[in-house]
Structure formats: C-alpha cells, structure tokens
C-alpha cells in the first residue's frame, strides 16, 4: 500500500477543512471498502482523515415521525436499532443482506453510501476502466459482464452500485445531510448517486471535502409493510445480481401507495417510478405486480452475459411486492 | 507523497489487557500490527481482503476483520485475540467445544472462527436479527440456519463446518435466552 499521512479528526469542521485543502485527501471511517481499494492500488490518497470517532453515530427519532441515522453509526447498530426495525423493516433487512457480521460491525452508514462498484475491471489496475482512469476505455462492455448494468448505463461504463442499504434508502426517500467548507446542505437520495454518462469517475454528487453527517428517513407509516429481496449467486456474503426494496400500502385489496427500488441493475440504486405509477390504485394481486415489473424494466438493455438479469429482476419485483403486500387485506 | 517522507507514529494498542507501544506507519493494518509488531501470531492472515475471516478479532467485544483495519484507528480500544480468550489457564468454553467436536482439520481458520463465534453470540444475545430470521422484531431461535448465516464471514477450506456448528451449539445453547 502506498504510504499516506494520517490524522484523527475530533470535530467535523476540522475534518472538512483538512480534506478540502488537499486534492488527494480522503475521509476514512470503517475503512472496509477504502482500505481494500488502497491495497489494490485503485485508491491512492496522500492523506487520510479519520472521522470514525466524530460524535455522529446517534440514531434518533425526528419530530414528524421520521428517524435520523448518524453517518458514523455502524451498519449492524443501525440494523438493530428499534426505531429502524419497527418503522423501516426493509432497511434492517437490506443491512443484514449485505456483507458479513464482521464487516457490518465496521462499516459506517456514511461509508456505505460511498461504496464503489465491485466491477472486477475497476478493481484491476491492469484493465481498462473509465471509472478508475477516465478515457482509458471500458473492459466490461466487451468483457465478462454477467454482473453488470441493464438500466441507465452508458458507453463509458456499465458498472453497478453494490450497496444493499442504498436500495432501501432509495425506496424510503431518504435525505443525505452533508457538511462542506461552505456549510451544510441536504441531498435528496435520488440526487446523491449519479448515472455514469460521460463521467463515470464520479459516483456521487458530493463535492470534494463534503462530509456526510447523517441520513434522514422521512415518516412513512406504511413502511412497516415492506420487504427487501436479494438474489445472489451464494446464499450469504455475496453482492446482489438483482435486489428489490418494496414498500406497499395495501387496504381493501387495493394498493394505496407504493415505493419500489432496485439494486444490482444500474450505476445507482434504481427507483422504479414507472412501476409505482402502475401499482398505485390498482388491485393488489400478482397480475398488477407483473405489470409493474414489466414497466420497471421497459427501458432495460442487456449485454452479452447479463440478459438473464432482466427477467430475474421482473420476477424478483413480483415476489418482493407479493411478500410486502401480504394477503392484501 | 514520496518514500522518504514516510510518517511513523506511536500507536498504543491494548491487546488482551496488555499495553503495547508500537512505532508503526499509518498504513500498517491491525492484523500486521498484531502479528509482526506485537508478536501475537495467533491471529491469522488468510486472504487479507475481508473475504475469509481468518483475521477476526474482538474490539470492545465486537468482532471485526483485522485485515480491513488500520492499527492506528484502534488505539485505546480493548482488543481481544485468540491468545486472550482463555482465563486463568482455562480454555474458553468454545475452545474446548472445538476440540470436542472436531471443529477444525488444519486449524488455520480456527482462531478467526472462534473469535467470530464469540462475537456472533453476543450479537445474538443483543437481539440482532440476521438475513435468515423470520422476524425483524420478535424472538429468534438459535438454529443451525442462524449460525451458518451469522458465520458466513468465516471460511474453512477443510470443510469442518459441521463440527464448527456443533461446537457453537455446545458452547452457547445453555446460555440462549428463552
């Protein structure tokens, strides 16, 4: 690993200043993704500012019925918090679907938002990758692209976002709170991660030096009825081929409201708004769910090895909605 | 940063209740600090990338992968390795159960398996559900299925999983809150 200078931050403003002032400085929290990338020579920071001990780990109820999760809360702590388990079961399930017990104990919520793709060509500096080295080309487009995107990709990059947590946060309309050199701002979840376009090197709309301080979950009473379904090659400790976060408000056999987000299919957690439109007001049955699934994948485009993902995603959507909807009472 | 400007720092690690004052570079992992600088080779280096769990240790009672951790980040924390599990010359109940149930063949993954299972059981006692739990809010049974899912971060190339699962039951079943 390339040498770097380390400093431990004791307050957020100082951490923001230290990273802002140096182009190749980075924050480190749990380190579970960053250190891996540094060992591989993909990330080469000159300075690491340790934010793990900043007092940003609290999980609290918000006045209007929502919940605030501090960015330094560990994935396992957030998963097990009563406010999260009771109000947003889909989020607890998403946390628990990701990584391993050890990694969930280390990884922070803020760091999970900053996870980089697990595209093997991104991870290997000997391969062409526009995300790692802009302009070098994409080895995945013509390569072994079984795990790659079917929605929202570009000629430059067909990588997918690896997080489970983020798929649930997309469905729940979370808001990311950040602190930068110019003050604080809030970023709606849909605007946090980016599609690759011509700038796949930028995963998010966070500016250099901006620190994630918390994630706010708005009140969503019907989120009690929600489900996270992850389909993967192994039963545990594997990234999603396809995943679905489904939140459904059903009464009298009809869908009153719905939130659907997909993982493993795009460069960012994919909010399936076309599916939500079809669901809202329709009968809560498998026929409706299938129509919604067709709509969600209507713009999908497969590459050589990942055609299967399109039908897999549709079936996963139907199953996740059926589970979340329960008996439809 | 060029090679001549390497930063060396003093890091105080509390390992198995003993303080170790180390002079290390910030890039030294907790795993390498334990093995190469503190001389505690019980913790094993397998994949060095968080995939195998051989490096699992406990920090303030919580299991983590020491390969994914910078030693400097764990200054002042209570680190327990396999060398610290026995008390007064008496093996930890799980260590004895591993011997009893053949929870290993070559033994390389064993320190990580044991530290991981000790941390795993604490998580279970705190009520943390897992990906295979039927409920996110209710009681969970300490079943084989739960153990396998919760231990999926620890690989055993010899395939001693059946013995490992039995050993975990043997050591902890009596403590499961009903």
């Amino acid at each position: 690993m390339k040498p770097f200078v380390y400093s431990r931050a004791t307050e957020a403003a100082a951490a923001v200043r230290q990273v802002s002032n140096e182009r190749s400085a980075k924050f480190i929290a749990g380190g579970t993704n960053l250190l891996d990338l540094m060992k591989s020579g993909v990330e080469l920071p000159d300075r690491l500012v340790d934010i793990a001990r900043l007092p940003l780990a609290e999980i609290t109820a918000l006045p209007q019925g929502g919940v605030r999760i501090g960015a330094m809360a560990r994935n396992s702590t957030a998963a097990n918090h009563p406010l999260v388990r009771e109000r947003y079961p889909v989020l607890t399930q998403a946390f628990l679907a990701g990584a391993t017990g050890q990694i969930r104990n280390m990884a922070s919520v803020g760091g999970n938002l900053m996870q980089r793709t697990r595209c093997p060509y991104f991870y290997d500096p000997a391969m062409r990758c526009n995300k790692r080295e802009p302009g070098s080309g994409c080895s995945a487009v013509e390569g072994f692209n079984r795990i790659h995107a079917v929605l929202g990709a570009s000629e430059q990059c067909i990588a997918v976002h690896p997080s489970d947590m983020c798929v649930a946060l997309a469905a729940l309309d979370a808001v990311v709170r950040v602190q930068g050199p110019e003050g604080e701002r809030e970023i709606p979840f849909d605007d946090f991660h980016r599609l690759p376009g011509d700038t796949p090197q930028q995963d998010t709309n966070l500016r250099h030096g901006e620190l994630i301080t918390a994630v706010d979950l708005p009140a969503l009473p019907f989120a009690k009825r929600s489900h996270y379904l992850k389909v993967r090659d192994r039963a545990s400790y594997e990234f999603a081929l396809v995943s679905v976060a489904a939140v459904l408000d059903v009464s009298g056999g009809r869908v009153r409201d719905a939130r659907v987000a997909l993982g493993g299919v795009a460069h960012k957690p994919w909010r399936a708004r076309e599916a939500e439109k079809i669901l809202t007001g329709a009968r809560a049955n498998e026929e409706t769910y299938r129509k919604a699934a067709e709509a969600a994948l209507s713009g999908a485009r497969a590459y050589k090895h990942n055609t299967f993902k399109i039908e897999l995603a549709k079936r996963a959507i139907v199953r996740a909605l059926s589970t979340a909807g329960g008996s439809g009472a | 940063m060029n090679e001549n400007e390497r930063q060396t720092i003093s890091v105080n690690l509390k390992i198995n209740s003993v303080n170790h004052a180390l002079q290390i570079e910030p890039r030294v992992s907790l795993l390498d600090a334990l093995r190469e600088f503190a001389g505690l080779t019980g913790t094993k280096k397998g994949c060095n990338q968080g995939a195998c769990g051989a490096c699992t240790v406990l920090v303030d009672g919580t299991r983590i992968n020491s390969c994914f951790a910078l030693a400097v980040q764990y200054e002042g924390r209570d680190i327990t390795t396999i060398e610290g599990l026995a008390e007064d010359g008496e093996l930890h109940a799980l260590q004895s159960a591993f011997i009893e149930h053949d929870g290993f063949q070559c033994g390389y993954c064993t320190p990580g398996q044991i530290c991981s299972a000790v941390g795993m059981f604490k998580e279970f006692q705190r009520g943390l559900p897992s990906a295979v739990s039927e409920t996110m809010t209710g009681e969970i049974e300490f079943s084989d299925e739960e153990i396998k899912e919760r231990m999926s971060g620890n690989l055993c190339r010899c395939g001693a999983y059946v013995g490992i699962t039995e050993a975990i039951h043997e050591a902890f079943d009596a403590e499961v809150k009903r």
Side-chain angles (χ1 to χ4, degrees), chain B residues 82-102:
Chain B
I82 191 71
E83 291 96 336
L85 280 183
E87 275 182 53
D88 304 323
E90 189 99 351
L91 289 182
H92 187 282
L94 187 59
Q95 291 175 303
S96 303
F98 261 67
I99 295 168
E100 178 74 18
H101 291 274
D102 285 332

Side-chain angles (χ1 to χ4, degrees), chain A residues 97-256:
Chain A
T100 65
Q102 289 97 318
I103 293 172
R104 291 191 291 270
N105 285 338
M106 306 174 79
S108 66
V109 166
N112 194 325
L113 283 161
M114 298 304 290
Q115 268 195 92
R116 309 213 64 189
T117 183
R118 307 298 162 137
C119 172
Y121 300 108
F122 171 70
Y123 253 78
D124 183 352
M127 295 287 172
R128 288 175 296 129
C129 173
N130 289 320
K131 183 181 281 298
R132 181 171 25 77
E133 199 185 330
S136 64
C138 173
S139 298
V141 171
E142 299 294 330
F144 191 63
N145 45 35
R146 183 171 175 272
I147 67 166
H148 291 77
V150 293
L151 287 166
S154 74
E155 290 302 305
Q156 304 293 317
C157 180
I158 61 169
V160 296
H161 196 264
S163 169
D164 293 298
M165 174 196 83
C166 288
V167 181
L169 292 182
L172 295 170
D173 283 319
V175 174
V176 183
R177 297 174 64 86
V178 307
Q179 183 176 338
E182 272 103 54
E184 297 179 24
R185 66 181 180 124
E186 296 183 350
I187 308 174
F189 203 79
D190 222 11
D191 299 334
F192 187 82
H193 295 99
R194 296 164 58 94
L195 287 177
D198 291 329
T199 53
Q201 68 273 23
Q202 277 180 274
D203 294 346
T204 73
N205 286 315
L206 213 56
R207 300 171 197 136
H208 182 70
E210 277 187 324
L211 174 72
I212 301 169
T213 56
V215 174
D216 283 359
L217 301 169
L220 195 66
F222 69 89
K224 282 189 176 196
R225 191 171 231 169
S226 59
H227 186 65
Y228 187 73
L229 175 66
K230 182 175 183 178
V231 184
R232 45 185 160 175
D233 283 328
R234 299 188 298 195
S236 188
Y237 196 17
E238 182 59 279
F239 292 98
L241 288 168
V242 162
S243 72
V244 184
V247 187
L248 217 50
D249 184 5
V250 178
S251 68
R254 286 200 177 269
V255 178
R256 304 291 154 185

Side-chain angles (χ1 to χ4, degrees), chain B residues 27-44:
Chain B
R27 61 177 166 167
V28 171
S29 68
L30 179 58
L31 171 60
D32 285 342
L34 292 171
R35 289 180 56 87
E36 308 294 335
F37 292 86
L40 292 164
T41 55
T43 305
K44 298 294 185 264

Side-chain angles (χ1 to χ4, degrees), chain A residues 222 225 246-260 275-289 292 321-322 324-329:
Chain A
F222 69 89
R225 191 171 231 169
V247 187
L248 217 50
D249 184 5
V250 178
S251 68
R254 286 200 177 269
V255 178
R256 304 291 154 185
D257 207 345
R259 305 275 189 279
V260 182
E276 293 170 9
K277 270 184 214 139
I278 285 175
L279 290 165
T280 306
R283 291 212 160 275
N285 60 28
E286 198 170 318
E287 196 188 331
T288 299
Y289 300 158
L321 287 170
S322 303
S327 61

Side-chain angles (χ1 to χ4, degrees), chain B residues 2-60:
Chain B
N2 83 46
E3 297 280 308
N4 303 326
E5 294 176 295
R6 282 184 192 178
Q7 181 192 23
T8 301
I9 48 177
S10 304
V11 175
N12 291 297
L13 293 182
K14 190 176 162 201
I15 311 164
N16 304 327
S17 306
V18 177
N19 288 311
H20 295 254
L22 309 178
Q23 289 292 321
I24 54 174
E25 287 185 55
R27 61 177 166 167
V28 171
S29 68
L30 179 58
L31 171 60
D32 285 342
L34 292 171
R35 289 180 56 87
E36 308 294 335
F37 292 86
L40 292 164
T41 55
T43 305
K44 298 294 185 264
K45 187 184 262 190
C47 67
N48 204 29
Q49 54 175 17
C52 76
C55 67
T56 304
V57 298
L58 300 163
V59 174
D60 301 327

